């Protein structure tokens, strides 16, 4: 969940750069606008350009968690995964803690973000192969996790909890003043989703195995391209253990969703085939992941929770496509599953 959306204090550049050998003197420090949880800056110095990250999101902003992320990206870099590991200071540390906040300095990567509409079929295959490479390499560089069976794995959403959340969000959306077209759409989608959940509640999936190490937040804003080739996977804050095929499905759903809330299934198919080959995942693993992510989307209202409960509207533009997707996916369930498994 997001923290305060207020602009944080400017980073203490002089104190920060004194810790490093080589960056030079600061010339400018411009906030990077993308990103919802942490804060990033393009830092220009007399020696070049850098990406300065200020870790603000409480669940992942402690030093130990950040150091684990940094070590993972350093090891992945040695295996040929396109990442941008942090720079170490004169004492070999990659995390600078100043004024109670944690910072990290990374090389600046020239590149741009590309969503699925900007990817060709070949580019979709490259994307799937890249995520498969990430998963197999993480298995090599991270400590193994103890096996857990379905009774101790990831619990799926309880529809009774979702019904109660829908009622709370409906009350908040109806009470909002002045009321706008977003609020009208929110009410429509909440009522629609309540009907769908009542119809499909019997399809709630069981707990899933813990899975393996995943990036945790693999989507277009966390992948930079140089031309047609991926240049760097960034923002490893959500690095953790999850069912890995579910990350593959979530990523495809974000990359390949269209404005009307449908998926580009031809590109999904190319992506999924490449992912399965690279990760060594079979069709049954992807089918189970498709079912669990569909159920997750059917029960998910994070954008409305940000807007109505946290008074944070930064994610509002994502709502029309995301809310339409849950409806379309339910109607086209078999076609979506086949695109990931055929």
């Amino acid at each position: 969940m997001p923290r305060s959306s207020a602009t944080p204090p400017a980073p203490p550049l002089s104190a920060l750069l004194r810790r490093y050998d080589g960056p030079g003197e600061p010339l400018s420090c411009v906030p990077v606008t993308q990103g919802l949880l942490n804060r990033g800056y393009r830092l220009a110095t007399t020696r070049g350009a850098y990406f300065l990250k200020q870790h603000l999101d409480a669940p992942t902003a402690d030093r130990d968690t950040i150091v684990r992320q940094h070590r993972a990206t350093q090891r992945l870099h040695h295996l040929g995964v396109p990442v941008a590991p942090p720079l170490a200071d004169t004492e070999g540390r990659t995390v600078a803690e100043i004024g109670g906040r944690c910072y990290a300095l990374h090389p600046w990567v020239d590149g741009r973000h590309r969503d699925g509409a900007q990817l060709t079929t070949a580019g979709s295959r490259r994307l799937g192969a890249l995520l498969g490479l990430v998963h197999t390499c993480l298995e090599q560089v991270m400590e193994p996790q103890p096996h857990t069976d379905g009774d101790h794995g990831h619990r799926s959403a309880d529809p009774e909890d979702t019904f109660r959340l829908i009622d709370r969000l409906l009350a908040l959306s109806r009470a909002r003043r002045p009321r706008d077209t977003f609020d009208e759409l929110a009410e429509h989608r909440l009522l629609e989703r309540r009907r769908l959940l009542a119809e499909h509640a019997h399809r709630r999936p069981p707990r899933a195995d813990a899975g393996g190490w995943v990036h945790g937040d693999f989507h277009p804003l966390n992948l930079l391209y140089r031309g047609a080739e991926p240049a760097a996977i960034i923002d490893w804050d959500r690095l953790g253990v999850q069912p890995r095929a579910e990350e593959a499905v979530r990523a495809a759903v974000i990359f390949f969703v269209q404005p009307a809330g449908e998926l580009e299934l031809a590109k999904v198919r190319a992506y999924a085939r490449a992912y399965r080959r690279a990760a060594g995942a079979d069709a049954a693993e992807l089918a189970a992941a498709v079912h669990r992510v569909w159920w997750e989307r059917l029960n998910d209202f994070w954008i409305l929770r940000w807007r109505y409960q946290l008074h944070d509207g930064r994610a509002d533009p994502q709502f029309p496509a995301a809310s339409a997707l849950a409806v379309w996916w339910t109607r086209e369930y078999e076609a979506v599953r086949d695109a990931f498994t055929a």
Side-chain angles (χ1 to χ4, degrees):
M1 300 302 294
R3 302 299 174 259
S4 170
S5 59
T7 302
L13 297 180
S14 296
L16 181 73
L17 292 179
R18 279 198 299 269
R19 295 168 177 252
Y20 295 86
D21 182 17
E25 296 300 319
L27 297 176
S28 64
C29 188
V30 181
V32 177
T33 56
Q34 291 98 332
L36 295 174
L37 297 176
N38 295 299
R39 180 68 59 173
Y41 300 87
R42 189 184 193 278
L43 172 62
T45 76
T46 53
R47 300 285 182 85
Y50 301 87
F51 177 73
L52 175 61
K53 183 165 185 175
Q54 184 177 11
H55 292 264
L56 296 171
D57 187 35
T60 61
D62 64 281
R63 176 184 287 273
D64 290 343
T65 299
I66 300 168
V67 167
R68 183 179 68 181
Q69 299 161 12
H70 290 175
R71 288 175 178 167
T73 57
Q74 290 166 337
R75 293 165 180 168
L76 290 172
H77 177 72
H78 290 310
L79 292 178
V81 179
V83 292
L87 304 178
D89 65 17
T90 55
E91 297 186 12
R93 297 171 301 191
T94 58
V95 179
E97 191 168 351
I98 303 173
R101 297 191 184 275
C102 289
Y103 300 86
L105 194 62
H106 299 257
W108 180 262
V109 178
D110 284 317
R112 65 187 186 96
H113 305 292
R114 297 166 66 96
D115 60 28
Q118 298 168 303
L119 297 178
T120 63
T121 301
S124 302
R125 284 194 292 269
R126 281 194 290 270
L127 180 67
L130 175 62
L131 185 56
L133 175 68
V134 168
H135 287 172
T136 56
C137 288
L138 281 173
E139 189 174 6
Q140 298 177 50
V141 304
M142 301 299 292
E143 65 273 15
Q145 294 296 299
H147 175 75
T148 58
D149 59 30
D151 291 333
H152 299 88
H154 294 265
R155 177 177 176 270
S156 61
D158 185 336
E160 294 303 322
D161 293 337
T162 306
F163 288 136
R164 287 189 287 270
L165 175 61
I166 287 173
D167 288 341
R168 291 195 297 272
L169 292 172
L170 272 172
L172 291 169
S173 68
R174 288 167 173 168
R176 187 176 174 90
R177 295 293 184 272
R179 191 168 169 80
D180 59 22
T181 56
F182 186 103
D183 302 309
E184 299 285 348
L185 177 62
E187 180 176 354
H188 168 73
R189 291 303 191 192
L190 287 163
L191 292 171
E192 179 182 54
R193 195 78 63 85
R194 188 160 64 184
R195 292 193 296 270
L196 280 176
L197 270 174
E199 181 181 349
H200 295 280
H202 64 285
R203 300 175 67 184
R204 179 187 179 186
R207 291 177 182 267
D209 289 344
W213 286 98
V214 298
H215 176 276
D217 202 19
F218 193 85
H219 59 69
L221 291 182
N222 285 339
L223 180 58
L224 289 167
Y225 279 84
R226 190 174 294 119
E229 295 298 324
I233 305 165
I234 59 175
D235 285 351
W236 290 78
D237 303 272
R238 301 296 177 180
L239 174 69
V241 176
Q242 299 176 16
R244 61 177 189 166
E246 290 182 29
E247 171 159 84
V249 175
R250 287 190 197 97
V253 168
I254 299 171
F255 270 94
F256 299 114
V257 67
Q258 298 173 305
E262 301 178 4
L263 296 177
E264 294 186 87
L265 293 182
K267 292 182 179 180
V268 169
R269 184 173 290 106
Y271 160 95
R273 286 176 176 173
Y275 172 80
R276 295 202 312 269
R277 285 194 299 269
D282 60 25
E285 184 179 355
L286 267 295
V290 167
H291 185 70
R292 287 184 60 82
V293 178
W294 162 76
W295 179 259
E296 179 183 281
R297 287 301 182 111
L298 203 59
N299 285 267
D300 182 40
F301 295 96
W302 73 271
I303 298 173
L304 296 186
R305 293 182 70 180
W306 279 33
R307 176 179 174 89
Y308 294 120
Q309 296 181 325
L310 300 173
H311 310 291
D312 187 336
R314 288 176 295 163
D316 285 1
Q318 301 179 41
F319 182 70
S323 59
L325 174 63
V327 181
W328 177 86
W329 191 344
T330 302
R331 186 175 66 246
E332 301 293 337
Y333 181 89
E334 289 79 11
V336 176
R337 180 197 58 206
D338 291 348
F340 280 96
T341 58

